[in-house]
Amino acid sequence: SIPIAKQLASIKALRKGSDLEKAFATAALVYNNSADPEGKLSKAETKSLLQTQFSVFMQGQENKPKYKEIISALDEELENKMDFEDFMILLVSLTLMSDLLQEIKNVKTTK
């Protein structure tokens, strides 16, 4: 498969895009590269994608009730597939509860 960075570089509109625009485009590309022809992911594929592509954000969350709820929903509803909108909501939810978010907030932005 073609590396995400190369796919991102091929999108003309993003050549002068902001970091935030490129971040969301990257999330969309990661999702699209894993999705089926209908543009959806099974719950198992979603869980696998999160474990491989979002593991740093998920690290240390295993004992949090909301995290357990999200992961158990991915394990339970195997027939239901996830679309991109639901995937992005899931990413935002995991980011908001992540211990890494506090570390990100504390990053110095000036010299």
Side-chain angles (χ1 to χ4, degrees), residues 15-108:
R15 291 201 179 128
K16 293 183 180 179
S18 70
D19 291 341
L20 188 57
E21 289 168 324
K22 289 176 183 174
F24 272 87
T26 298
L29 287 168
V30 168
Y31 177 89
N32 288 341
N33 288 341
S34 297
D36 65 18
E38 296 174 0
K40 296 190 177 194
L41 286 176
S42 72
K43 300 287 182 163
E45 290 166 331
T46 300
K47 186 176 179 182
S48 176
L49 183 61
L50 291 171
Q51 289 169 334
T52 59
Q53 293 286 326
F54 215 62
S55 62
V56 175
F57 275 91
M58 292 172 54
Q59 189 173 3
Q61 307 310 302
E62 298 83 10
N63 295 320
K64 292 183 177 180
K66 185 66 179 169
Y67 176 86
K68 287 180 180 179
E69 181 184 321
I70 288 170
I71 296 304
S72 69
L74 291 177
D75 288 335
E76 290 168 10
E77 302 176 38
L78 296 178
E79 284 90 47
N80 293 342
K81 291 196 171 193
M82 183 168 287
D83 61 17
F84 180 67
E85 181 179 323
D86 290 335
F87 180 75
M88 289 303 289
I89 291 168
L90 181 62
L91 279 185
V92 170
S93 298
L94 290 169
T95 300
L96 289 172
M97 75 174 85
S98 172
D99 295 334
L100 183 57
L101 186 58
Q102 191 57 49
E103 193 174 328
I104 291 167
K105 287 179 181 178
N106 292 332
V107 170
K108 292 187 189 284

Coordinates of all heavy atoms in Angstrom, one line a residue, residues 15-108:
R15 N -1.7 21.1 0.0 CA -0.3 21.5 -0.1 C 0.0 22.7 0.7 O 1.1 22.9 1.3 CB 0.1 21.7 -1.6 CG 0.1 20.4 -2.3 CD 1.0 20.3 -3.5 NE 0.9 19.0 -4.1 CZ 0.6 18.7 -5.3 NH1 0.4 19.7 -6.2 NH2 0.6 17.4 -5.7
K16 N -0.9 23.6 0.8 CA -0.8 24.8 1.7 C -1.7 24.7 2.9 O -2.0 25.7 3.5 CB -1.1 26.1 0.8 CG 0.0 26.3 -0.2 CD -0.3 27.6 -1.0 CE 0.8 27.8 -2.0 NZ 0.6 29.0 -2.8
G17 N -2.2 23.5 3.2 CA -3.1 23.3 4.3 C -2.4 23.5 5.6 O -1.2 23.4 5.7
S18 N -3.2 23.8 6.6 CA -2.7 23.9 8.0 C -2.4 22.6 8.6 O -2.8 21.5 8.1 CB -3.8 24.6 8.8 OG -4.9 23.8 9.0
D19 N -1.7 22.6 9.7 CA -1.4 21.4 10.4 C -2.6 20.6 10.8 O -2.7 19.4 10.7 CB -0.6 21.7 11.7 CG 0.9 22.2 11.4 OD1 1.3 21.9 10.3 OD2 1.5 22.8 12.3
L20 N -3.7 21.4 11.2 CA -4.9 20.8 11.7 C -5.6 20.1 10.5 O -6.1 19.0 10.6 CB -5.8 21.8 12.3 CG -7.1 21.3 13.0 CD1 -6.8 20.3 14.0 CD2 -7.9 22.5 13.6
E21 N -5.6 20.8 9.3 CA -6.2 20.2 8.1 C -5.5 19.0 7.7 O -6.2 17.9 7.4 CB -6.2 21.2 7.0 CG -7.2 22.4 7.2 CD -7.0 23.5 6.3 OE1 -5.9 23.9 5.9 OE2 -8.0 24.2 5.9
K22 N -4.2 19.0 7.8 CA -3.4 17.8 7.4 C -3.7 16.6 8.5 O -3.7 15.5 8.1 CB -2.0 18.1 7.3 CG -1.7 19.0 6.1 CD -0.2 19.4 6.1 CE 0.0 20.3 4.9 NZ 1.4 20.9 4.9
A23 N -3.9 17.0 9.7 CA -4.1 16.0 10.7 C -5.5 15.3 10.5 O -5.5 14.1 10.5 CB -4.1 16.6 12.1
F24 N -6.5 16.1 10.1 CA -7.8 15.5 9.9 C -7.7 14.7 8.5 O -8.4 13.6 8.4 CB -8.9 16.5 9.8 CG -9.5 16.7 11.2 CD1 -8.9 17.6 12.1 CD2 -10.6 16.0 11.6 CE1 -9.4 17.8 13.4 CE2 -11.1 16.1 12.9 CZ -10.5 17.0 13.8
A25 N -7.0 15.2 7.6 CA -6.9 14.4 6.3 C -6.1 13.1 6.6 O -6.5 12.1 6.0 CB -6.1 15.3 5.3
T26 N -5.2 13.1 7.4 CA -4.4 11.9 7.8 C -5.4 10.9 8.4 O -5.4 9.7 8.1 CB -3.2 12.2 8.7 OG1 -2.3 13.1 8.0 CG2 -2.5 10.9 9.1
A27 N -6.2 11.4 9.3 CA -7.2 10.5 10.0 C -8.1 9.9 9.0 O -8.4 8.7 9.0 CB -8.0 11.2 11.1
A28 N -8.6 10.7 8.0 CA -9.5 10.2 7.0 C -8.8 9.2 6.1 O -9.4 8.1 5.7 CB -10.0 11.4 6.1
L29 N -7.5 9.4 5.7 CA -6.8 8.5 4.9 C -6.5 7.1 5.6 O -6.7 6.1 5.0 CB -5.4 9.1 4.5 CG -5.5 10.2 3.4 CD1 -4.2 10.9 3.2 CD2 -6.0 9.6 2.1
V30 N -6.2 7.2 6.9 CA -6.0 6.0 7.7 C -7.2 5.2 7.7 O -7.2 4.0 7.5 CB -5.5 6.3 9.1 CG1 -5.5 5.1 10.0 CG2 -4.1 6.9 9.1
Y31 N -8.4 5.9 8.0 CA -9.7 5.2 8.0 C -9.9 4.6 6.6 O -10.3 3.4 6.5 CB -10.8 6.2 8.4 CG -12.1 5.5 8.3 CD1 -12.7 4.9 9.4 CD2 -12.9 5.6 7.2 CE1 -13.9 4.3 9.4 CE2 -14.2 4.9 7.1 CZ -14.6 4.3 8.2 OH -15.9 3.7 8.2
N32 N -9.8 5.4 5.5 CA -10.2 4.9 4.2 C -9.3 3.7 3.8 O -9.8 2.8 3.1 CB -10.0 6.0 3.2 CG -11.1 7.1 3.3 OD1 -12.2 6.8 3.9 ND2 -10.9 8.3 2.8
N33 N -8.1 3.7 4.2 CA -7.2 2.6 3.8 C -7.6 1.3 4.4 O -7.2 0.2 3.9 CB -5.7 2.9 4.2 CG -5.1 4.0 3.3 OD1 -5.6 4.3 2.2 ND2 -4.0 4.6 3.7
S34 N -8.3 1.4 5.5 CA -8.7 0.2 6.2 C -10.2 -0.2 6.0 O -10.6 -1.3 6.2 CB -8.6 0.4 7.8 OG -7.2 0.6 8.1
A35 N -11.0 0.7 5.5 CA -12.4 0.5 5.2 C -12.7 -0.4 4.1 O -11.9 -0.6 3.2 CB -13.1 1.9 5.0
D36 N -13.9 -1.0 4.1 CA -14.3 -1.9 3.0 C -14.8 -1.0 1.8 O -14.8 0.2 1.9 CB -15.4 -2.8 3.5 CG -16.7 -2.1 3.9 OD1 -16.9 -1.0 3.6 OD2 -17.5 -2.8 4.6
P37 N -15.1 -1.6 0.7 CA -15.6 -0.9 -0.5 C -16.8 0.1 -0.2 O -16.9 1.1 -0.9 CB -15.9 -1.9 -1.5 CG -15.1 -3.1 -1.1 CD -15.1 -3.1 0.4
E38 N -17.6 -0.2 0.8 CA -18.7 0.6 1.2 C -18.2 1.8 2.1 O -19.1 2.6 2.5 CB -19.8 -0.2 1.9 CG -20.4 -1.2 1.0 CD -21.4 -2.1 1.8 OE1 -21.6 -1.9 3.0 OE2 -22.0 -3.0 1.2
G39 N -17.0 1.8 2.4 CA -16.4 2.9 3.3 C -16.7 2.7 4.7 O -16.8 3.6 5.5
K40 N -16.8 1.4 5.2 CA -17.1 1.1 6.6 C -16.1 0.1 7.1 O -15.4 -0.6 6.4 CB -18.5 0.6 6.7 CG -19.6 1.6 6.3 CD -20.9 1.2 6.7 CE -21.9 2.3 6.3 NZ -23.2 2.1 6.9
L41 N -16.0 0.1 8.5 CA -15.2 -0.8 9.2 C -16.0 -1.7 10.1 O -16.9 -1.2 10.7 CB -14.2 -0.1 10.1 CG -13.0 0.6 9.5 CD1 -12.2 1.4 10.5 CD2 -12.1 -0.3 8.8
S42 N -15.7 -3.0 10.2 CA -16.3 -3.8 11.2 C -15.8 -3.3 12.6 O -14.8 -2.6 12.7 CB -16.0 -5.3 11.0 OG -14.6 -5.5 11.3
K43 N -16.5 -3.7 13.6 CA -16.1 -3.3 15.0 C -14.7 -3.9 15.3 O -13.9 -3.3 15.9 CB -17.2 -3.8 16.0 CG -18.5 -3.2 15.8 CD -18.6 -1.8 16.2 CE -20.0 -1.3 16.0 NZ -20.3 0.0 16.7
A44 N -14.5 -5.2 14.8 CA -13.2 -5.8 15.1 C -12.1 -5.1 14.4 O -11.0 -4.9 14.9 CB -13.3 -7.3 14.7
E45 N -12.4 -4.7 13.1 CA -11.4 -3.9 12.3 C -11.1 -2.5 13.0 O -10.0 -2.1 13.0 CB -11.9 -3.7 10.9 CG -11.9 -5.0 10.1 CD -12.7 -4.8 8.8 OE1 -13.6 -4.0 8.7 OE2 -12.3 -5.5 7.8
T46 N -12.2 -1.9 13.5 CA -12.0 -0.7 14.2 C -11.1 -0.8 15.4 O -10.2 0.0 15.6 CB -13.4 -0.1 14.6 OG1 -14.2 0.1 13.5 CG2 -13.3 1.2 15.4
K47 N -11.4 -1.9 16.2 CA -10.6 -2.1 17.4 C -9.1 -2.3 17.0 O -8.2 -1.8 17.6 CB -11.1 -3.3 18.2 CG -10.4 -3.6 19.5 CD -11.1 -4.7 20.3 CE -10.4 -4.9 21.6 NZ -11.0 -6.1 22.3
S48 N -8.9 -3.1 16.0 CA -7.5 -3.4 15.5 C -6.8 -2.1 15.0 O -5.7 -1.9 15.4 CB -7.6 -4.4 14.4 OG -6.3 -4.7 13.9
L49 N -7.6 -1.3 14.3 CA -7.0 -0.1 13.8 C -6.6 0.9 14.9 O -5.6 1.5 14.9 CB -8.0 0.6 12.9 CG -7.6 1.9 12.2 CD1 -6.4 1.7 11.3 CD2 -8.7 2.5 11.4
L50 N -7.5 0.9 16.0 CA -7.2 1.8 17.1 C -5.9 1.2 17.9 O -5.1 2.0 18.3 CB -8.3 1.8 18.1 CG -9.6 2.6 17.6 CD1 -10.7 2.3 18.6 CD2 -9.3 4.1 17.5
Q51 N -5.8 -0.1 18.0 CA -4.7 -0.7 18.7 C -3.4 -0.4 17.9 O -2.3 -0.3 18.5 CB -4.9 -2.2 18.9 CG -6.0 -2.4 19.9 CD -6.4 -3.9 20.0 OE1 -6.3 -4.6 19.0 NE2 -6.9 -4.3 21.2
T52 N -3.4 -0.4 16.6 CA -2.2 -0.2 15.8 C -1.9 1.3 15.5 O -0.7 1.7 15.5 CB -2.2 -0.9 14.5 OG1 -3.3 -0.5 13.7 CG2 -2.3 -2.4 14.7
Q53 N -2.9 2.1 15.4 CA -2.7 3.5 15.0 C -3.0 4.6 16.1 O -2.7 5.7 15.9 CB -3.6 3.8 13.8 CG -3.3 3.1 12.5 CD -2.0 3.7 11.8 OE1 -1.8 4.9 11.9 NE2 -1.3 2.8 11.2
F54 N -3.5 4.1 17.2 CA -3.9 5.1 18.2 C -3.5 4.6 19.6 O -4.0 5.0 20.6 CB -5.4 5.3 18.2 CG -5.8 6.7 18.5 CD1 -5.4 7.8 17.7 CD2 -6.7 7.0 19.6 CE1 -5.8 9.1 18.0 CE2 -7.1 8.3 19.9 CZ -6.7 9.3 19.1
S55 N -2.5 3.7 19.7 CA -2.1 3.0 20.9 C -1.6 3.9 22.0 O -1.8 3.7 23.2 CB -1.2 1.9 20.6 OG 0.0 2.4 20.1
V56 N -0.8 5.0 21.6 CA -0.3 5.9 22.6 C -1.4 6.6 23.3 O -1.3 6.8 24.5 CB 0.7 6.8 21.9 CG1 1.3 7.9 22.9 CG2 1.9 6.1 21.3
F57 N -2.4 7.0 22.6 CA -3.6 7.7 23.2 C -4.3 6.7 24.1 O -4.9 7.1 25.1 CB -4.5 8.3 22.2 CG -4.1 9.7 21.7 CD1 -3.2 9.8 20.6 CD2 -4.5 10.8 22.4 CE1 -2.8 11.1 20.2 CE2 -4.1 12.1 22.0 CZ -3.3 12.2 20.9
M58 N -4.4 5.4 23.7 CA -5.2 4.5 24.5 C -4.4 3.9 25.7 O -5.0 3.3 26.6 CB -5.6 3.3 23.6 CG -6.6 3.8 22.5 SD -7.0 2.6 21.2 CE -7.5 1.2 22.2
Q59 N -3.1 4.1 25.7 CA -2.3 3.5 26.7 C -2.7 4.0 28.1 O -2.9 5.2 28.3 CB -0.8 3.9 26.5 CG 0.2 3.1 27.4 CD 1.6 3.4 26.9 OE1 1.9 4.2 26.0 NE2 2.5 2.8 27.6
G60 N -2.8 3.1 29.1 CA -3.2 3.4 30.4 C -4.7 3.7 30.7 O -5.1 4.1 31.8
Q61 N -5.5 3.5 29.7 CA -6.9 3.8 29.8 C -7.7 2.6 30.2 O -8.9 2.7 30.5 CB -7.5 4.3 28.5 CG -6.7 5.5 27.9 CD -6.5 6.6 28.9 OE1 -7.5 7.2 29.5 NE2 -5.3 6.9 29.2
E62 N -7.1 1.4 30.3 CA -7.8 0.1 30.4 C -8.7 0.1 31.6 O -9.7 -0.6 31.6 CB -6.8 -1.0 30.5 CG -5.9 -1.2 29.3 CD -4.7 -0.2 29.2 OE1 -4.4 0.4 30.2 OE2 -4.1 -0.2 28.1
N63 N -8.4 0.8 32.7 CA -9.3 0.7 33.9 C -10.3 1.8 34.0 O -11.1 1.8 34.9 CB -8.4 0.7 35.1 CG -7.5 -0.5 35.2 OD1 -8.0 -1.6 34.9 ND2 -6.3 -0.3 35.6
K64 N -10.4 2.7 33.0 CA -11.4 3.8 33.0 C -12.7 3.2 32.5 O -12.8 2.5 31.5 CB -10.9 4.9 32.2 CG -9.7 5.7 32.7 CD -9.4 6.9 31.9 CE -8.2 7.6 32.5 NZ -7.8 8.8 31.7
P65 N -13.8 3.5 33.3 CA -15.1 2.9 32.9 C -15.5 3.3 31.5 O -16.1 2.4 30.8 CB -16.1 3.5 33.9 CG -15.2 3.9 35.1 CD -13.9 4.2 34.6
K66 N -15.3 4.5 31.1 CA -15.7 4.9 29.7 C -15.0 4.2 28.6 O -15.5 3.8 27.6 CB -15.6 6.5 29.6 CG -16.1 7.0 28.2 CD -17.6 6.9 28.1 CE -18.1 7.4 26.8 NZ -19.5 7.1 26.5
Y67 N -13.7 4.0 28.9 CA -12.8 3.2 27.9 C -13.4 1.8 27.8 O -13.5 1.3 26.7 CB -11.4 3.2 28.4 CG -10.5 2.4 27.5 CD1 -9.9 2.9 26.4 CD2 -10.2 1.1 27.8 CE1 -9.1 2.2 25.5 CE2 -9.4 0.3 27.0 CZ -8.9 0.8 25.9 OH -8.1 0.1 25.1
K68 N -13.6 1.2 29.0 CA -14.1 -0.2 29.0 C -15.5 -0.3 28.2 O -15.7 -1.2 27.5 CB -14.4 -0.7 30.4 CG -13.1 -1.0 31.2 CD -13.4 -1.4 32.6 CE -12.1 -1.8 33.4 NZ -12.4 -2.2 34.7
E69 N -16.3 0.7 28.4 CA -17.6 0.8 27.7 C -17.4 0.9 26.2 O -18.1 0.1 25.4 CB -18.4 2.0 28.2 CG -19.7 2.2 27.6 CD -20.4 3.5 28.0 OE1 -20.2 3.9 29.2 OE2 -21.0 4.2 27.2
I70 N -16.5 1.7 25.8 CA -16.2 1.8 24.3 C -15.7 0.5 23.7 O -16.1 0.1 22.7 CB -15.2 3.0 24.1 CG1 -15.9 4.3 24.3 CG2 -14.7 3.0 22.6 CD1 -15.0 5.5 24.3
I71 N -14.7 0.0 24.4 CA -14.1 -1.3 23.9 C -15.1 -2.4 23.9 O -15.1 -3.2 23.0 CB -12.8 -1.6 24.6 CG1 -11.7 -0.5 24.4 CG2 -12.2 -2.9 24.2 CD1 -11.4 -0.2 22.9
S72 N -15.9 -2.5 25.0 CA -16.8 -3.6 25.0 C -17.9 -3.5 23.9 O -18.3 -4.5 23.4 CB -17.5 -3.7 26.4 OG -18.3 -2.6 26.7
A73 N -18.2 -2.2 23.6 CA -19.2 -2.0 22.5 C -18.6 -2.5 21.2 O -19.3 -3.1 20.3 CB -19.6 -0.6 22.4
L74 N -17.3 -2.3 21.0 CA -16.6 -2.8 19.8 C -16.6 -4.4 19.8 O -16.6 -5.0 18.7 CB -15.2 -2.3 19.7 CG -15.1 -0.8 19.4 CD1 -13.6 -0.4 19.4 CD2 -15.7 -0.4 18.1
D75 N -16.5 -5.0 20.9 CA -16.5 -6.4 21.0 C -17.9 -7.1 20.8 O -18.0 -8.1 20.3 CB -15.9 -6.9 22.4 CG -14.4 -6.7 22.5 OD1 -13.7 -6.6 21.4 OD2 -13.9 -6.5 23.6
E76 N -18.9 -6.3 21.3 CA -20.2 -6.9 21.3 C -21.0 -6.8 20.0 O -21.6 -7.8 19.6 CB -21.1 -6.2 22.4 CG -20.6 -6.5 23.8 CD -21.3 -5.6 24.9 OE1 -22.2 -4.8 24.5 OE2 -20.8 -5.6 26.0
E77 N -20.9 -5.7 19.3 CA -21.7 -5.5 18.1 C -20.9 -5.8 16.9 O -20.6 -5.0 16.1 CB -22.2 -4.0 18.1 CG -23.0 -3.6 19.3 CD -23.3 -2.1 19.2 OE1 -23.6 -1.6 18.1 OE2 -23.3 -1.5 20.3
L78 N -20.7 -7.1 16.7 CA -19.8 -7.5 15.6 C -20.5 -7.3 14.2 O -19.8 -7.2 13.2 CB -19.4 -8.9 15.8 CG -18.5 -9.2 17.0 CD1 -18.1 -10.6 17.2 CD2 -17.2 -8.3 17.0
E79 N -21.8 -7.4 14.1 CA -22.5 -7.2 12.9 C -22.5 -5.8 12.4 O -22.5 -5.5 11.2 CB -23.9 -7.7 12.9 CG -24.0 -9.3 12.9 CD -24.0 -9.8 14.3 OE1 -24.7 -9.3 15.2 OE2 -23.3 -10.8 14.5
N80 N -22.6 -4.9 13.3 CA -22.7 -3.5 13.0 C -21.4 -2.9 12.5 O -20.3 -3.2 13.1 CB -23.2 -2.6 14.2 CG -24.6 -2.9 14.5 OD1 -25.4 -3.5 13.8 ND2 -25.0 -2.6 15.7
K81 N -21.4 -2.2 11.4 CA -20.2 -1.6 10.9 C -20.1 -0.1 11.2 O -21.2 0.5 11.4 CB -20.1 -1.8 9.4 CG -19.9 -3.3 9.0 CD -19.4 -3.4 7.6 CE -19.0 -4.9 7.4 NZ -18.3 -5.0 6.1
M82 N -18.9 0.4 11.3 CA -18.8 1.8 11.7 C -18.4 2.6 10.5 O -17.6 2.3 9.7 CB -17.6 1.9 12.7 CG -17.3 3.2 13.2 SD -16.2 3.2 14.7 CE -17.3 2.5 15.9
D83 N -19.1 3.8 10.3 CA -18.8 4.7 9.2 C -17.7 5.7 9.7 O -17.4 5.7 10.9 CB -20.0 5.4 8.7 CG -20.8 6.2 9.7 OD1 -20.2 6.6 10.7 OD2 -21.9 6.5 9.4
F84 N -17.3 6.6 8.8 CA -16.2 7.5 9.2 C -16.7 8.5 10.3 O -15.9 8.8 11.2 CB -15.8 8.3 7.9 CG -14.7 9.3 8.2 CD1 -13.4 8.9 8.6 CD2 -14.9 10.6 8.1 CE1 -12.4 9.8 8.8 CE2 -13.9 11.6 8.3 CZ -12.7 11.1 8.7
E85 N -17.9 8.9 10.2 CA -18.4 9.9 11.2 C -18.3 9.3 12.6 O -17.8 9.9 13.6 CB -19.8 10.3 10.9 CG -20.4 11.3 11.9 CD -21.8 11.6 11.6 OE1 -22.2 11.8 10.4 OE2 -22.6 11.8 12.5
D86 N -18.8 8.0 12.8 CA -18.7 7.3 14.1 C -17.3 7.1 14.5 O -16.9 7.2 15.7 CB -19.5 6.0 14.0 CG -21.0 6.2 13.9 OD1 -21.5 7.3 14.3 OD2 -21.7 5.3 13.4
F87 N -16.4 6.8 13.5 CA -15.0 6.6 13.8 C -14.4 7.8 14.4 O -13.6 7.8 15.4 CB -14.3 6.1 12.6 CG -12.8 5.9 12.8 CD1 -12.4 4.7 13.4 CD2 -11.9 6.8 12.3 CE1 -11.0 4.5 13.6 CE2 -10.5 6.5 12.5 CZ -10.1 5.4 13.2
M88 N -14.7 9.0 13.8 CA -14.1 10.3 14.3 C -14.6 10.6 15.6 O -13.9 11.1 16.5 CB -14.4 11.4 13.3 CG -13.6 11.3 12.0 SD -11.8 11.2 12.2 CE -11.5 12.9 12.7
I89 N -15.9 10.3 15.9 CA -16.5 10.6 17.3 C -15.7 9.7 18.3 O -15.4 10.1 19.4 CB -18.0 10.3 17.3 CG1 -18.7 11.4 16.4 CG2 -18.5 10.2 18.7 CD1 -20.1 11.1 16.1
L90 N -15.4 8.4 17.9 CA -14.7 7.5 18.7 C -13.3 8.0 19.0 O -12.8 8.0 20.1 CB -14.7 6.1 18.1 CG -14.0 5.0 18.8 CD1 -14.6 4.8 20.1 CD2 -13.9 3.8 18.0
L91 N -12.6 8.5 18.0 CA -11.3 9.1 18.1 C -11.3 10.3 19.1 O -10.4 10.4 20.0 CB -10.7 9.5 16.8 CG -10.1 8.5 15.9 CD1 -9.5 9.2 14.7 CD2 -9.0 7.7 16.6
V92 N -12.2 11.2 18.9 CA -12.3 12.3 19.8 C -12.6 11.9 21.2 O -12.0 12.4 22.2 CB -13.4 13.3 19.3 CG1 -13.6 14.4 20.3 CG2 -12.9 13.9 18.0
S93 N -13.5 11.0 21.4 CA -13.8 10.5 22.7 C -12.6 9.9 23.4 O -12.3 10.2 24.6 CB -14.9 9.4 22.7 OG -16.1 9.9 22.2
L94 N -11.8 9.0 22.7 CA -10.6 8.4 23.3 C -9.6 9.5 23.5 O -8.8 9.4 24.5 CB -10.1 7.4 22.3 CG -10.9 6.1 22.2 CD1 -10.5 5.2 21.1 CD2 -10.9 5.3 23.5
T95 N -9.5 10.5 22.7 CA -8.5 11.6 22.9 C -8.8 12.3 24.2 O -8.0 12.6 25.0 CB -8.5 12.5 21.7 OG1 -8.1 11.8 20.5 CG2 -7.5 13.6 21.9
L96 N -10.1 12.7 24.3 CA -10.5 13.5 25.5 C -10.3 12.8 26.8 O -10.0 13.4 27.8 CB -12.0 13.9 25.4 CG -12.3 14.9 24.3 CD1 -13.8 15.0 24.1 CD2 -11.6 16.2 24.6
M97 N -10.4 11.5 26.9 CA -10.2 10.7 28.1 C -8.7 10.3 28.3 O -8.4 9.8 29.4 CB -11.1 9.5 28.2 CG -10.7 8.4 27.4 SD -11.8 7.0 27.7 CE -13.2 7.3 26.6
S98 N -7.9 10.5 27.3 CA -6.5 10.1 27.4 C -5.7 10.8 28.4 O -5.8 12.0 28.5 CB -5.9 10.2 26.0 OG -4.5 10.0 26.0
D99 N -4.8 10.1 29.0 CA -3.8 10.7 29.9 C -2.8 11.6 29.1 O -2.3 12.6 29.6 CB -3.0 9.7 30.7 CG -3.9 8.8 31.6 OD1 -4.9 9.4 32.1 OD2 -3.5 7.7 31.9
L100 N -2.6 11.2 27.9 CA -1.7 11.9 27.0 C -2.2 13.4 26.7 O -1.4 14.3 26.5 CB -1.6 11.2 25.7 CG -0.6 11.7 24.6 CD1 0.8 11.8 25.2 CD2 -0.6 10.8 23.4
L101 N -3.5 13.6 26.8 CA -4.1 14.9 26.5 C -3.5 16.0 27.5 O -3.2 17.1 27.1 CB -5.6 14.9 26.6 CG -6.3 16.2 26.2 CD1 -5.9 16.6 24.8 CD2 -7.8 16.0 26.3
Q102 N -3.4 15.6 28.8 CA -2.8 16.5 29.7 C -1.4 16.9 29.4 O -0.9 18.0 29.5 CB -2.9 16.0 31.2 CG -2.6 17.0 32.2 CD -3.5 18.2 32.2 OE1 -4.7 18.1 32.1 NE2 -2.9 19.4 32.2
E103 N -0.6 15.9 29.0 CA 0.8 16.1 28.6 C 0.8 17.0 27.4 O 1.7 17.9 27.3 CB 1.4 14.7 28.3 CG 2.9 14.8 28.1 CD 3.5 13.4 28.0 OE1 3.0 12.4 28.5 OE2 4.6 13.4 27.3
I104 N -0.1 16.8 26.4 CA -0.1 17.7 25.3 C -0.4 19.1 25.7 O 0.2 20.1 25.2 CB -1.2 17.2 24.2 CG1 -0.7 15.9 23.6 CG2 -1.5 18.2 23.2 CD1 -1.7 15.1 22.9
K105 N -1.4 19.3 26.6 CA -1.7 20.6 27.1 C -0.5 21.3 27.7 O -0.5 22.6 27.7 CB -2.9 20.6 28.1 CG -4.2 20.2 27.4 CD -5.3 20.2 28.5 CE -6.7 19.8 27.9 NZ -7.7 19.7 29.0
N106 N 0.4 20.6 28.3 CA 1.5 21.2 29.0 C 2.7 21.4 28.2 O 3.7 21.9 28.7 CB 1.9 20.2 30.2 CG 0.9 20.2 31.3 OD1 0.1 21.1 31.5 ND2 0.8 19.1 32.0
V107 N 2.6 21.1 26.9 CA 3.7 21.4 26.0 C 4.0 22.9 25.8 O 3.0 23.6 25.7 CB 3.5 20.7 24.6 CG1 4.5 21.2 23.5 CG2 3.5 19.2 24.7
K108 N 5.2 23.3 25.9 CA 5.6 24.7 25.8 C 5.4 25.1 24.3 O 5.8 24.4 23.4 CB 7.0 25.0 26.2 CG 7.2 24.8 27.7 CD 8.6 25.2 28.1 CE 9.0 24.9 29.5 NZ 8.4 25.6 30.5

